[in-house]
Every structure is written in C-alpha cells, then in structure tokens.
Amino acid sequence: MTEQTETLPAVQLPAVRLRVPTHEDAFVWHRLFDDPEVMEFHGGVPAELSMYEELTARQRRHDAELGYCLWTLLDGAGEPIGFAGAQPWARAWGPAGEIEMGWRLARAAWGKGYATAAARATVERLRERGVPSVVAMVDAGNERSVAVTRRLGMDLGETFTTPPTPGDGEGRRVAYCFRLTL
C-alpha cells in the first residue's frame, strides 16, 4: 500500500512594498485610518492629524537609528494602504524592552492578504538587521490580526489587561502578546 499525501495549494500573497514614511504620509495615514472600524482596536476613534505627524517623524528616527520602523505599506500599484513594521515597545505595561511588530490597513485593503504579506516582509527585514525576536500585541477581539500572527507561526505568550483609555468608558481590554524567535 502506498502512502498518499495531500498537498495543500500555496496561498499567493499580494505584492507589497514597505518604505520609510514621509511627512506627507502623516496626511495619508490620517485619511486611511479615519474610520471607526479601522480604529476599533486602537481606542475606537480616529486620531488627530497631529498624532500622525508625530508618529511618522518618530518612525523616520527609528529607521535612521535602528534600521526598522513602522513603514508605509504600498500595494502592488504603489498606492499607500496602511503601515506595517516594528518599533520598540514604549509603554510602561506589556512587553517592556521588546520589539513589537504591527500593521494597520485601510478598510478597503482588508481581507486581501496585505497584512500577512507585509508582516512576512517585516520579519525578513528584521532578520536581516539581526533582531533576535519580536512580539505582536493584539487585542483579544481582533480575530483578523490574531489570524495574521498564526500565519507567521507566532506563539501566544502572555495575556495582558490594558490600562484604561481616556474616553473609552472603563477602557480595560484583554491583549494577547504573541512571540516569534527570528
């Protein structure tokens, strides 16, 4: 009797490109993320433009100093659809001192494989830079992002309860810390 093995079809991910965010990307990110659904797991309300101006400036510094950042995510046609990348975890709670990878996409880009493609590109760039491991902090209710961590082969590490967020009622949420050794 011969043993048969079933080969699963390879999933074709879309082409993506990651580039260091420009000052103009602050306006782009503000427009792309001006959607309560996009911001559901990030405080629930769209952020002010000034927050994105500060964020893109900080990412340019991270890239210059560390060799990685939250890059602007471009689709195959070169159009911005969000961001993806990594940065040091800067909060007092959670995986202090570790490198967190993350992604945020415009609503129109959901469900097309862009987050997984960008996360895989991020992992490769971090490996090239000698980063030994990363975490991904994901709201427990964010099933789409949990699925991306699973596709990357990340393991669930700790579970955290987030501190209250201003304007979010009690604001405490459960967050999963996924881990990946590079």
Side-chain angles (χ1 to χ4, degrees):
M1 177 188 248
T2 49
E3 186 177 315
Q4 290 185 339
T5 58
E6 184 177 331
T7 304
L8 297 175
V11 176
Q12 182 68 32
L13 293 175
V16 296
R17 194 168 58 106
L18 303 173
R19 69 163 163 76
V20 177
T22 64
H23 174 71
E24 291 75 24
D25 285 330
F27 300 95
V28 173
W29 292 5
H30 182 254
R31 178 179 47 81
L32 293 176
F33 306 144
D34 187 21
D35 179 336
E37 281 188 82
V38 170
M39 298 304 290
E40 177 182 1
F41 302 109
H42 306 285
V45 276
E48 297 293 324
L49 175 60
S50 60
M51 193 282 299
Y52 291 110
E53 289 174 318
E54 190 279 326
L55 180 60
T56 55
R58 184 171 65 242
Q59 298 314 311
R60 288 189 296 278
R61 283 192 308 275
H62 284 326
D63 186 73
E65 295 169 5
L66 304 171
Y68 56 85
C69 66
L70 293 177
W71 295 287
T72 295
L73 171 58
L74 306 172
D75 66 11
E79 292 299 315
I81 57 171
F83 65 64
Q87 63 182 346
W89 181 261
R91 296 173 180 92
W93 64 275
E98 298 197 56
I99 306 303
E100 181 203 22
M101 63 181 298
W103 45 87
R104 186 180 308 166
L105 279 67
R107 176 70 183 93
W110 290 2
K112 299 177 182 176
Y114 289 118
T116 300
R120 286 184 179 166
T122 296
V123 166
E124 290 310 310
R125 285 187 177 197
L126 294 173
R127 279 187 179 127
E128 290 169 5
R129 285 160 178 82
V131 174
S133 63
V134 292
V135 299
M137 289 293 290
V138 179
D139 186 289
N142 190 341
E143 294 174 11
R144 290 179 301 273
S145 283
V146 169
V148 172
T149 66
R150 297 293 188 209
R151 286 183 206 109
L152 292 176
M154 298 184 92
D155 296 314
L156 179 59
E158 303 82 13
T159 299
F160 294 96
T161 300
T162 67
T165 304
D168 192 23
E170 291 198 21
R172 295 184 179 275
R173 300 180 70 108
V174 174
Y176 295 142
C177 180
F178 290 92
R179 297 183 170 281
L180 181 65
T181 300
L182 305 179

